[in-house]
Amino acid sequence: MTQPLRILLAKPTHDSHDRGVRYLATRFRDAGFEVIFTNFLLPGEVTRIAVQEDVQVIGVSTSSGGHMPVFSDLIADLRAQHLNDVLVIGGGVIPADDVVELTDMGVAAIFGPGDSAEAAIALVRDHFAGRPEVA
Amino acid sequence: MFDKATLKRSRDAARRHGEAYGRLVKRFGNSAPARAQDPKTQSGLALKSAYFPHDIADIDFDDIGAPGEYPFVRGNLPAQYQLMHWANQPVIGYGLPEQTRERMDLLVKQGMVGYFGQQFFNLVYDLVSHEGLDPDHPAARGRIGQCGMAVYCADDMARLFDSMDLTKMNVVHITYYQVIPALAQYIAYAGRQGVRPNELRGNSMNWYHQSAYVGMSAFPADQGLKLAVELIRYCNAHMPRWNTTNFFGYGVEEAGGNAIEEIGLMLAFGIELVGACEAAGLSADDVLPRFGFQIAQGNDFFEEVCKVRALRRIWARTMKERFGAEDPRSMHVRIHTHTSGVSLTAQQPMVNLVRTTLHAFGAALAGTQAMEVSAYDEALSIPTEEAATLALRAQQVIQEETNVAAVSDPLAGSWYVEALTDQIATAASAFADEVAAQGGYVAAQQQGWIRRRVEASAAAWRRQVDSGERRLVGLNCYQADEAPPEHIFKVDKNAEQVAIERICKLRESRDDGRYRRAMDDFAAAAAGFAAASVSDLTESRLMPAAIEAARADATTGEMMAVLKSALGWRAPHEY
């Protein structure tokens, strides 16, 4: 049976620039995804919710800096828990040279100001294309 | 305002215009742009293709009046900028306090100036402080000195201000909800310099209601309202020169709200806050002269100018008629303009210089009191020195070169400007009435009503951008291939370690007995405060206890932990 893809969108609590990610949540929902949205203080909270909610995708939005430790902790956490299949994407105000480092770290894509919701949705769909258990 | 003959000629002219204009539009057929068929403002108010005297025939001249006269639509004072320019108030803050000080000194050197030649410093705290933590907390990693300065205690204030005369400057503390700890630490530091609270000038945010329209952790809304009253009461007794409260309208537009929602929410909150102050035994004239507004200046040029004029009218009316304010200063809307950040693009960032200049020019025509012009690289990072200087230069060019400073309220009397001002005032008052129907601002916040309204506007804006109906240069039209920007500001990597070491050293070296006594008293005051109702707040107890704690070298994280535990503190998705 085909299950909708489940995506966790997460935003640090003290980063109030959540207009973009909240919009993205509605767009993923409209596109047929099951969307869980959370704010977090520590990156570990994201992993915990990802496991609880059994998501295939995690999207972290950060627009106030401080993104590097969040992503590195998150990726390390996922690896430690053998969740290597979870797709991690990011978005927000993230400088270009950090994007290179994040991609090397294993973040699938970083979306910046002005990028379209469609691009993020298409990337996730393409990643899971040919996986019949999810759609 | 017009005699019958003039009105008749006006209507005749409008009819002729309508017919001729209609023929032109028809000739374009389907290729006529939407603005030709159905002109409207960014917030959706209907516009006409041209305005005539009869469009403002129903406005009484006394509703427009003279600059400096009730209802102050034309400005608070008779003189706008003839005697003194608006204050340059760029937002400053990054890294360690001494690094923020370098940027303060640089901008002073570049001519940044407030009123009467004094300095205004608009200082923003970092993400760690905003969350009410200290730099050694695990969640602080990567966020120390980001988006603001790493200032967490009275010693950090010394690193920021030493060798400056606190009595000859104006300091705005841009906090989230760490309002009380930040002011307490500033007062504690001033005390070391022999400066008393009543000599200090500046501004606290005192705005616990941003979480109504953006997602961030917060005190419960009813406790937030009480905290605002507490600070106002303390300042009323001890800090007569301190501007207590900053109505954060800017955040509404940044979150996606439109001009009507921005000023409608400010009016709705004003009604709630002045009512709460009255319940605590303070009169409208006790508190209103020390309120200020931070207002956005965005892309729709005339709507944003008229919004400011409209706000002055509906505020003055409400405060006079509903709350019995008599002091003209109680009816004034003192505005710090923050040019729109959300309209800036990461694409072709230099184009933002053009946008921000237009925003700033609009704010100047609207008669603002102080201005922060966003830097062109704002969609990329904390501004570089070059970008921050250019943003200041935009203000200086308008002030020195354009001659707009020669005349008060230069757009007054334009049939269009007066009609649109009236239209926005009516729409914003109706929006404030809708908030009242929810039980007031705090109730509307608790029910998520404000959030839903602002988010609906944000989504509508985004749909318009995605569909191309709203055009943004470099984003959905006139795109260009471009290399990644070369100069991106980055916070000093060592700042993090230094900030942590400093706070650890402070904890070891401070007088532990004094610290514990002060924190016990602060915790007791916080517990009493949490249980009190607004009408119990007839004497300030929390703020004096916070100042004692700050004098005993309590840190922001320590003081906020006390407040969070006493008052409650929740992540946004729990509301």
Side-chain angles (χ1 to χ4, degrees), chain B residues 481-492:
Chain B
D481 291 331
E482 46 185 333
E486 282 171 26
H487 305 293
I488 294 279
F489 184 89
K490 286 218 166 174
V491 174
D492 171 19

Side-chain angles (χ1 to χ4, degrees), chain B residues 150-162:
Chain B
V151 170
Y152 314 106
C153 56
D155 281 0
D156 286 336
M157 295 287 174
R159 295 176 179 114
L160 196 55
F161 294 116
D162 263 3

Side-chain angles (χ1 to χ4, degrees), chain A residues 2-21:
Chain A
T2 304
Q3 295 289 325
L5 275 167
R6 291 166 69 78
I7 178 167
L8 171 63
L9 293 173
K11 181 97 181 152
T13 47
H14 39 198
D15 181 4
S16 60
H17 306 82
D18 63 345
R19 177 174 172 177
V21 71

Side-chain angles (χ1 to χ4, degrees), chain B residues 408-444:
Chain B
S408 298
D409 193 23
L411 296 182
S414 149
W415 302 316
Y416 172 36
V417 167
E418 296 301 353
L420 184 57
T421 298
D422 205 51
Q423 220 174 343
I424 296 172
T426 303
S429 297
F431 189 84
D433 288 345
E434 276 192 76
V435 177
Q438 304 302 313
Y441 187 106
V442 167

